[in-house]
Amino acid sequence: MPKLIQVQEHELIPLEISLPVWQEGMRLPAQSEGLDRWFFRWQWGAAFPVNSSDEEYSGEGYYASYVIGAQWIDSTPLVITPKGGCDKIDYLKMLATCLNSGIESKELSKIYGVDLEQPRIEAPELNSVLSPLIIVHFISLVRKIIKRGLKKSYVSRESNLKKVRGRIAISQNEYYNVMRKRCERLYCKYQEYSADTPENRLIKKALLFSRQIIAQIAQENKSLHALHHAINQCISAFCDVSDQIEVWEIKSMKRHKLFRGYEEAVQIAQMILRWCDYSITSIRPAAESPCPVFWLDMSLLYEHYVLGLLREAYGEKIKYQAKGYTGYPDFICYDPKLVMDTKYIPRFQQGGIDIAIARQLAGYARDRKLFRLPASEVIPCIVIYPKEGEAQNPFKDKSLEELLAEDEDGHLLGFYRIAVPLPTLNEPETNLSPSFTYFSQDKRDS
């Protein structure tokens, strides 16, 4: 077995691979327009500098980016973990906050990717990241299905009845009734219009698997109890659906585009059942399970986490990913006029706002497609970044105008910085409501 390489975000990766093989690095699959993300990338000198005086990174080589996960590089397993370790970040709380913001399932699918076709990697610490992520994504899809109503279809049934329904099954009727002299009974085969379809049975089975996984993780993370309750709510909506389904049915399940939301839900359900080897009794604790090949974009997760905090404080006043001539600013507000952008740069607080970032936000603030304003008006720009500390909502109980009274950049007029710490598991337990509030949001075209 090749030796495992494990590094943290932004660190130099000791890969013994020549540049012509990988060229720039390892790009993430399924890139959307406007997104250019890498699992790792070649840097000619300083990697991911915060400002011109940053001397932490030096020398050329392959550096990890803002994406964590586990990947195979040729035959070498590579694991990238967040700064400070996976055991310190409360991913569930971040994901629950994302759901509060009304994040769509298609946006969640951009945050991460899983490949179950490749061999698994011995990185059990990453299961604490991946398990809640997939399950929260699955729950968001199931809740949409429940809201629209479960798919119903004609399902084949067999039963021993008192009167004919459908058609009489001759051989079964002879065995169960004629030979046993039960003349008042008829064994029939018939069609019944029911929600007990193969797709719904698959989804219910995956919900039961998810509950088993969460029950194991919840022993170490009490904040997962809210997710456990949300799963029970989803299971109760499938009370008239059986959970009996064969492995061959799971593998050969066809996706029907006629029913919106089912196609992706079936795909994620198949992923969960395959991950658990199709048997609830064979689920092993996360600490003992190898990790599938996957990636998680921490910058996008942080962006949606901040969106949830902003929506919690200001509701519909915050517009997400509005389309302008200069691009898609993360957040804008029209009353008062503000431009806000997240930068997942943990060392951001050590220096001033980088000139490239200032130019980007200044372009948004002068975009006539985003704002109708006189040439003399200066729109404030706020940079939001993570730092260590107790996670709280810095926007709650504050007006947007009050945000501009804090931490103005000393070199740039109208530029401000706000630190939003990542939630950690060693914080006091908070009650996460399983009844997530959904807000409408602007859809990003990319």
Side-chain angles (χ1 to χ4, degrees), residues 151-218:
K151 167 190 174 184
K152 291 187 177 182
S153 183
Y154 286 98
V155 181
S156 297
R157 303 289 193 194
E158 295 183 10
S159 185
N160 215 3
L161 306 174
K162 290 185 178 180
K163 59 182 181 180
V164 178
R165 184 176 180 183
R167 64 182 180 85
I168 299 174
I170 302 298
S171 57
Q172 289 92 336
N173 185 65
E174 188 145 340
Y175 176 78
Y176 287 105
N177 298 322
V178 176
M179 293 177 61
R180 302 180 187 185
K181 298 182 179 180
R182 301 175 65 182
C183 300
E184 77 284 1
R185 294 281 179 176
L186 292 167
Y187 197 93
C188 302
K189 291 184 177 181
Y190 57 94
Q191 297 282 324
E192 183 180 59
Y193 192 68
S194 169
D196 192 22
T197 63
E199 292 82 4
N200 288 332
R201 293 201 303 269
L202 170 63
I203 290 173
K204 184 172 183 178
K205 191 77 168 179
L207 285 170
L208 294 174
F209 273 56
S210 300
R211 185 167 64 180
Q212 293 286 331
I213 296 170
I214 291 300
Q216 292 178 353
I217 302 175

Side-chain angles (χ1 to χ4, degrees), residues 322-329 363-364 366-371:
K323 185 178 181 181
Y325 292 116
T326 54
Y328 297 86
Y364 297 149
R366 288 159 176 77
D367 195 319
R368 294 187 183 274
K369 193 172 183 179
L370 296 173
F371 300 99

